[in-house]
Amino acid sequence: MSIWHQRWDENRIGFHRSEANPTLTDHWAKLGHESSTDVLVPLCGKSLDMHWLIEQGHCVTGIEFVEKAVVQFFQDCSVAPILESRNEGTKYSTGDIKIYQADFFQVQPDESPFSAWYDRAALVALPPSLRTQYVDQLRKLTTPDAKGLMVTFDYPKEEMQGPPFALSDDEVKELFAPYFTIERLQFTDLTEEEERDLSRCSLSVFVLTRR
Ligand SMILES: C[S@@+](CC[C@H](N)C(=O)[O-])C[C@H]1O[C@@H](n2cnc3c(N)ncnc32)[C@H](O)[C@@H]1O
């Protein structure tokens, strides 16, 4: 069982927010996506950000490998999705939202390639050893001109064992600069606010544009 299955099993989902994330609502419009654009949400959990994107007119495709998270997402909004069994897992569909209950690294959604994506607590949820694979899979699932919003978290690595795993600016550059232009939209020092005992801690929001 993965640490994520265990966390969902034990309801240790402190990352889940009870409303749409301000990093999304404050910045999404700056990406300039048409409301008809389908948005990929990797490692989506049962995030309410997906509802916010739908309210903006988008169709959303989430990918999440824990069944409980996917089931709760639909239960919480009282919607009965259609289930389709596939090689990689199960596809849950309603009109404007599809969630693939599957490993992000294995799945090839019918809706791909996407020209838009939103990563909050996705890349930083993965151990550093999977980061290159994450970027490769993201490139596989997106169009050559795709644009996404990514929220990251940084702190001195020796002070905490993730998730969330610290992701420094240098690491963002190393991972994405060969394939994407990188623009930072927000930097927030969270050192005072964070309950974790970290000597330094910050959140950044980036726009990544494939090139
Ligand atoms: C930190 S949570 C963030 C969830 C969501 N993005 C949010 O903002 O609430 C990370 C999620 O990724 C899921 N996950 C981790 N590894 C995954 C993988 N390889 N494929 C699909 N989902 C994965 C976990 O089960 C967990 O729900």
Side-chain angles (χ1 to χ4, degrees):
M1 186 190 265
S2 80
I3 58 152
W4 292 108
H5 288 81
Q6 207 173 333
R7 279 190 171 207
W8 278 99
D9 246 21
E10 296 166 2
N11 255 339
R12 289 192 295 120
I13 52 166
F15 53 82
H16 180 70
R17 295 283 171 263
S18 53
E19 53 190 33
N21 211 287
T23 51
L24 175 66
T25 57
D26 288 354
H27 298 300
W28 184 253
K30 296 173 192 162
L31 275 66
H33 287 305
E34 301 280 335
S35 60
S36 55
T37 310
D38 284 9
V39 182
L40 170 68
V41 183
L43 281 62
C44 62
K46 56 170 183 172
S47 174
L48 300 180
D49 293 341
M50 294 191 278
H51 288 303
W52 186 86
L53 286 164
I54 289 165
E55 281 159 25
Q56 310 316 303
H58 297 290
C59 285
V60 169
T61 298
I63 302 173
E64 166 59 54
F65 68 4
V66 176
E67 183 184 16
K68 183 176 178 184
V70 182
V71 168
Q72 280 188 4
F73 175 83
F74 289 106
Q75 275 172 354
D76 290 352
C77 60
S78 308
V79 169
I82 295 167
L83 270 61
E84 183 192 329
S85 184
R86 300 164 61 98
N87 283 343
E88 326 93 293
T90 305
K91 177 179 178 180
Y92 292 63
S93 312
T94 65
D96 38 20
I97 179 146
K98 282 98 194 163
I99 298 185
Y100 289 77
Q101 188 233 318
D103 184 347
F104 176 68
F105 299 104
Q106 306 291 331
V107 72
Q108 179 76 51
D110 301 329
E111 297 72 19
S112 62
F114 297 90
S115 55
W117 81 94
Y118 170 60
D119 167 342
R120 185 251 166 191
L123 178 54
V124 296
L126 297 170
S129 59
L130 289 178
R131 285 175 179 167
T132 308
Q133 252 177 278
Y134 176 88
V135 177
D136 288 348
Q137 178 68 348
L138 189 63
R139 288 171 56 223
K140 241 198 235 170
L141 299 184
T142 53
T143 59
D145 59 349
K147 199 183 264 203
L149 195 69
M150 177 174 76
V151 185
T152 63
F153 198 54
D154 193 24
Y155 57 85
K157 293 181 172 46
E158 61 286 1
E159 291 184 13
M160 188 172 90
Q161 170 63 38
F165 294 93
L167 189 66
S168 69
D169 287 359
D170 283 348
E171 288 166 326
V172 170
K173 209 187 266 179
E174 196 183 318
L175 283 166
F176 289 97
Y179 318 106
F180 298 82
T181 57
I182 304 167
E183 183 193 353
R184 191 203 304 274
L185 297 181
Q186 182 181 333
F187 174 88
T188 307
D189 187 340
L190 297 173
T191 314
E192 298 300 318
E193 295 166 38
E194 262 294 318
E195 282 156 17
R196 294 176 255 241
D197 197 15
L198 298 169
S199 61
R200 168 181 67 77
C201 161
S202 60
L203 170 153
S204 290
V205 182
F206 296 97
V207 178
L208 303 169
T209 308
R210 276 193 65 181
R211 57 181 162 79

